[in-house]
Amino acid sequence: MRWWPTLSCTPPANIAALYQEVARAIAEGRQPHPSFETGLRHHRLLAAIERSAAMEAPAELATRPA
């Protein structure tokens, strides 16, 4: 029987899953997924969405650091 609470859909569960993936990737000699590049693309997309909402108009998606 488990003594810890169910964390299947919570931020701590997401972080735990990411750490598990990083550990597996290191053990298997491969890049983890999501990679840093994936995270960067997502953050750029979120920034464009925020700019678009603030301007109430389409915003360009940055492809390089500002």
Side-chain angles (χ1 to χ4, degrees):
M1 178 186 251
R2 294 185 325 191
W3 57 268
W4 61 88
T6 302
L7 298 174
S8 61
C9 295
T10 63
N14 294 339
I15 297 300
L18 178 62
Y19 287 165
Q20 288 175 337
E21 168 57 16
V22 169
R24 279 193 299 271
I26 291 170
E28 295 170 4
R30 61 177 175 79
Q31 290 292 317
H33 184 77
S35 66
F36 175 81
E37 290 78 16
T38 300
L40 180 59
R41 282 194 312 271
H42 287 181
H43 279 274
R44 287 180 175 161
L45 175 59
L46 291 172
I49 291 168
E50 289 175 347
R51 285 192 310 276
S52 178
M55 298 184 312
E56 297 182 359
E60 286 194 35
L61 181 61
T63 57
R64 296 180 186 217

